[in-house]
Amino acid sequence: MQEHSSSHLKMLGYAAFWLLVWEAASLLVGNSILLAGPFDTALRLVELVPTAAFWQTILSSFGRIALGFAVGFAGALALGLLSHHFEGFRQLMAPAFDALKSIPLVCIIVLLLLWVGSRRVSALAVFLVVLPAVYFSVLEGLDAQDGKLKEVLGRMDVSGLRLFLVDTWQQLLPYLIGTSRNVCGMAWKAGVAAEVIGSPRGTIGEEVYQAKLLLATSDLFAWTIAIVLASWACERLFLLLLRSTGPWALRLALKMKRTGMQSAQPGPVKMEGATFGYKGTSGAPDSVIARDVSRVLDAGSRWIMADPSGTGKTTVIAGIAGMKPLLAGAIAAPDRLSLMCQDIRLIEGYTAEENVELASRLDEAEARHLLRELLPEDALGRPVAELSGGQRRRVELVRALAHPSALVLLDEPFASLDHATHQQAAAFLMSHLEGRTLIVASHVPGDAALLDAEPLDIFCDEA
């Protein structure tokens, strides 16, 4: 609290310093027409604010600027999503957006005045300023997104709009928030500049233009302060609304009807000449970890890859899950699968219950009941970002087994667990496997016996 008060006092001190500089400059000039002082400006602002005409003018300009901003923001978001998914469309849009970000604003305003007249020029000018700024931010955010969570959730039947809400939008939001801090101010600058040039009646731009004609510097400064305050208020309000879309999107995804979550019969995994590994780059040979594997893993069977770390177990899991292409051959595996990767992939803003609920047919109460078998009560009802590594790992295990599937793929499911919790998690896995085909990657000795699983020996000797 003291630090907060100290920060405010410092800001007031800085503001007072610049007011004194302004007053000194005004006294030095000695001509209120050339430079009105802060006292005269404040007096004029006090005269303007109580009048209905002042607020009508503010609202008139705000309506035009808000319209241009909203349409530009929404349009940039839609075009950015299209450009990210379709390279041809992205190349088509590139010259237009490069031109928009380079053309001087005054040239755009003059052209718009010729085409649409002074009443519409403000909204269109704002639209053309906001559109490229947000568009490039959307592209940057989408290009930089981490696809790991989407990869897992997509294989567990979380797709379409639900996947966009819980993953893509959450990763894109920080880029939009960062850009909006600048774009809100740019919108007001562009809108008022267009009004000054076009001078439509009843707008801030007209008042600024009249102040220039009448040499009323105090009026000019008073309206400038009004513009700055309006821009600041709009920025804070929009950022508040934009930030709220993150939690809102997460809640909406849970409320949407879950489709494709019906039970599935255990299915076999058929490998025909499957070769796992990595494609060589720049003419280098392929790196092979398992060559020409032809096997049938019967429905309901349990298998474990207990080889040491670094042999390629994760690559095999990814190949069977269809997340990594084979170097050769083919795999026929059930489409409905549960997946747990080596690294933790949870929705950080969700609680443990909500992470399980999203990927299953369970409601929150049922998910909580299931999680209690592995987690303490104080770990429930909190965002998983606040949980320990071992607790987060157990949430992933519960999510995988709660998802109705034909095949369960688990990559190091007991990592970060102590001996007692390891035993408890293994017992949980066995009790909730429900006859599904199981493939586990684990380098921990004894897991084969613990899970009553057969060894899946497929790796090359040189691996």
Side-chain angles (χ1 to χ4, degrees):
M1 180 65 73
Q2 289 181 346
E3 290 181 2
H4 192 63
S5 300
S6 176
S7 175
H8 280 296
L9 287 174
K10 285 182 179 179
M11 293 301 297
L12 289 173
Y14 297 148
F17 170 79
W18 287 110
L19 285 172
L20 290 173
V21 170
W22 181 5
E23 179 65 25
S26 174
L27 293 173
L28 185 64
V29 171
N31 188 332
S32 61
I33 294 178
L34 293 178
L35 182 62
F39 180 77
D40 291 337
T41 300
L43 188 62
R44 184 58 182 140
L45 197 57
V46 168
E47 292 173 352
L48 288 171
V49 169
T51 65
F54 173 83
W55 291 106
Q56 288 171 357
T57 301
I58 293 288
L59 289 174
S60 176
S61 292
F62 168 76
R64 292 176 171 85
I65 292 168
L67 175 62
F69 184 93
V71 176
F73 196 95
L77 184 59
L79 292 174
L81 288 167
L82 286 171
S83 294
H84 176 72
H85 287 98
F86 303 102
E87 183 61 28
F89 185 80
R90 184 173 188 158
Q91 295 301 323
L92 179 65
M93 291 291 102
F97 279 100
D98 287 339
L100 275 178
K101 73 177 183 179
S102 303
I103 296 175
L105 179 61
V106 67
C107 296
I108 292 176
I109 293 172
V110 171
L111 284 172
L112 290 174
L113 281 171
L114 293 173
W115 294 341
V116 302
S118 62
R119 301 299 297 178
R120 299 183 182 91
V121 68
S122 178
L124 283 171
V126 172
F127 168 80
L128 293 175
V129 165
V130 170
L131 186 70
V134 177
Y135 173 81
F136 286 114
S137 177
V138 170
L139 280 184
E140 183 182 4
L142 292 174
D143 290 345
Q145 66 181 324
D146 186 343
K148 290 183 177 180
L149 179 60
K150 182 181 293 185
E151 197 173 49
V152 170
L153 294 179
R155 293 302 288 122
M156 294 172 67
D157 301 316
V158 180
S159 58
L161 180 58
R162 298 178 76 214
L163 190 56
F164 176 84
L165 292 172
V166 300
D167 184 48
T168 303
W169 183 251
Q170 305 302 322
Q171 295 194 60
L172 182 57
L173 198 52
Y175 290 86
L176 295 177
I177 290 172
T179 298
S180 296
R181 290 193 177 98
N182 296 321
V183 169
C184 288
M186 290 166 54
W188 275 89
K189 289 178 183 178
V192 173
E195 290 175 351
V196 170
I197 296 173
S199 295
R201 293 183 62 80
T203 62
I204 295 176
E206 184 196 22
E207 296 291 343
V208 171
Y209 186 71
Q210 290 298 320
K212 174 253 184 186
L213 290 179
L214 298 174
L215 302 179
T217 314
S218 59
D219 279 34
L220 176 61
F221 284 174
W223 280 107
T224 300
I225 291 172
I227 294 166
V228 171
L229 291 175
S231 174
W232 178 85
C234 288
E235 178 189 328
R236 294 299 183 276
L237 178 60
F238 183 72
L239 288 176
L240 180 65
L241 292 173
L242 193 58
R243 288 191 182 98
S244 70
T245 63
W248 174 83
L250 293 177
R251 290 194 297 270
L252 178 61
L254 283 178
K255 290 180 180 179
M256 293 173 66
K257 183 179 179 180
R258 295 186 290 273
T259 59
M261 291 284 187
Q262 294 75 25
S263 298
Q265 293 298 317
V269 177
K270 300 177 182 178
M271 294 181 272
E272 299 180 1
T275 298
F276 301 86
Y278 298 88
K279 273 284 186 186
T281 57
S282 302
D286 296 341
S287 177
V288 177
I289 61 172
R291 188 189 305 278
D292 195 24
V293 180
S294 295
R295 300 191 64 166
V296 176
L297 311 182
D298 294 331
S301 59
R302 295 188 293 273
W303 301 86
I304 186 167
M305 293 180 286
D307 304 78
S309 297
T311 52
K313 299 187 297 295
T314 295
T315 303
V316 172
I317 291 285
I320 296 172
M323 300 188 304
K324 183 175 180 56
L326 301 175
L327 296 179
I331 294 179
D335 290 333
R336 303 289 306 284
L337 60 85
S338 296
L339 180 63
M340 184 175 176
C341 294
Q342 190 174 36
D343 54 323
I344 294 175
R345 304 186 188 186
L346 293 169
I347 301 170
E348 300 296 329
Y350 272 166
T351 63
E353 297 95 314
E354 290 167 336
N355 271 280
V356 173
E357 183 183 352
L358 182 76
S360 70
R361 294 174 297 171
L362 306 181
D363 59 27
E364 187 172 359
E366 292 169 330
R368 175 181 284 265
H369 179 75
L370 190 62
L371 284 158
R372 281 198 184 104
E373 295 186 32
L374 282 184
L375 288 167
E377 188 67 31
D378 63 2
L380 304 178
R382 297 160 51 194
V384 293
E386 300 177 6
L387 304 184
S388 68
Q391 289 173 335
R392 288 152 63 87
R393 201 66 181 149
R394 281 172 273 170
V395 173
E396 286 196 305
L397 180 59
V398 174
R399 179 181 67 181
L401 292 170
H403 175 66
S405 60
L407 170 65
V408 178
L409 299 172
L410 307 177
D411 191 356
E412 301 292 354
F414 310 125
S416 304
L417 304 183
D418 58 35
H419 178 72
T421 310
H422 184 161
Q423 298 286 320
Q424 183 186 19
F428 176 87
L429 168 58
M430 295 298 287
S431 65
H432 293 283
L433 187 58
E434 298 174 348
R436 290 176 282 186
T437 309
L438 173 68
I439 302 176
V440 176
S442 174
H443 67 277
V444 180
D447 274 352
L450 201 58
L451 302 176
D452 191 21
E454 300 180 55
L456 184 58
D457 297 320
I458 60 173
F459 296 101
C460 300
D461 292 338
E462 60 267 25

